[in-house]
Amino acid sequence: DIVMTQSPDSLAVSLGERATINCKSSQSVLYSSNNKDYLAWYQHKPGQPPKLLVHWASTRGSGVPDRFSGGGSGTDFTLTISSLQAEDVAVYYCQQYYGTPYTFGGGTKVEIK
Amino acid sequence: EVQVVESGGGSVQPGGSLRLSCAASGFTFNTYWMHWVRQAPGEGLVWVARIDGDGSTTTYADSVKGRFTISRDNAKNTVYLQMNSLRDEDTAVYYCVRRGGCCQDWFDPWGQGTLVTVSS
């Protein structure tokens, strides 16, 4: 199984400041035949279902604000919130869909400082 | 609007059975793989099972293989998760999710989830 490791477990950021979340996979999720990274990011707010933010490591989902951006390739990925808003308080998860069993990172809780 | 809505959760004793349902709308159901993902209390997200568009191919996490069965009824736009021999560790919110892309398994959208509690 591909193990996804996120860091940090939690972070507190001031409103308007940048938040960066890291995700590392135990093996590459870059598929050489199409040069795509099989990596997604989700936002999970209390009392709501998770919401897709990014797929293919850097492609924003429909309606996702452009302050959210995904980066990285191979085994190391980041999700950046360029200017944290109050509504961004949530737990964020990365997920690999390179192969089954699909696996998620342990989550990173983002709070306001 | 693309939507999936779960039902069927509840409380059950260890060793018991439960069937979850997921009603889909707003998209051509029989062309999409569907999945179940669960989240135990205070824990992260765990993928459980998937089924292809015509129901001929299924895949399971090792933790549920042989106990859970995913199926679908394309005439009813509904996917099911039959859960047998339930254990305490199966206690979780179960989310029905659609494959997000045409051919790859990111998940979008997610249902609201249905809570399954296994306890004596």
Side-chain angles (χ1 to χ4, degrees), chain B residues 2-118:
Chain B
V2 175
Q3 196 172 10
V4 294
V5 179
E6 307 93 337
S7 61
S11 294
V12 61
Q13 292 187 334
S17 298
L18 210 57
R19 189 177 83 155
L20 306 183
S21 300
C22 169
S25 59
F27 61 98
T28 306
F29 182 69
N30 63 6
T31 64
Y32 280 86
W33 290 65
M34 298 295 294
H35 302 250
W36 290 95
V37 174
R38 70 184 181 184
Q39 184 175 36
E43 302 293 325
L45 300 167
V46 176
W47 173 80
V48 173
R50 69 173 182 177
I51 187 167
D52 71 347
D54 65 8
S56 61
T57 301
T58 58
T59 316
Y60 299 91
D62 284 347
S63 58
V64 306
K65 201 174 296 182
R67 301 187 300 121
F68 289 13
T69 301
I70 188 171
S71 62
R72 65 193 296 157
D73 184 338
N74 286 343
K76 295 181 178 180
N77 283 7
T78 300
V79 63
Y80 304 99
L81 187 67
Q82 177 67 44
M83 305 185 294
N84 298 331
S85 303
L86 282 161
R87 306 167 179 167
D88 290 351
E89 56 265 33
D90 295 318
T91 294
V93 173
Y94 285 74
Y95 294 101
C96 173
V97 295
R98 191 195 73 169
R99 163 182 276 192
C102 77
C103 315
Q104 298 302 336
D105 288 322
W106 65 83
F107 304 133
D108 182 44
W110 296 60
Q112 286 290 330
T114 187
L115 176 63
V116 172
T117 303
V118 184

Side-chain angles (χ1 to χ4, degrees), chain A residues 8-29:
Chain A
D9 292 337
S10 64
L11 74 162
V13 176
S14 300
L15 288 172
E17 295 301 305
R18 177 185 301 263
T20 300
I21 301 167
N22 302 295
C23 174
K24 188 175 183 67
S25 57
S26 61
Q27 66 184 73
S28 177
V29 298

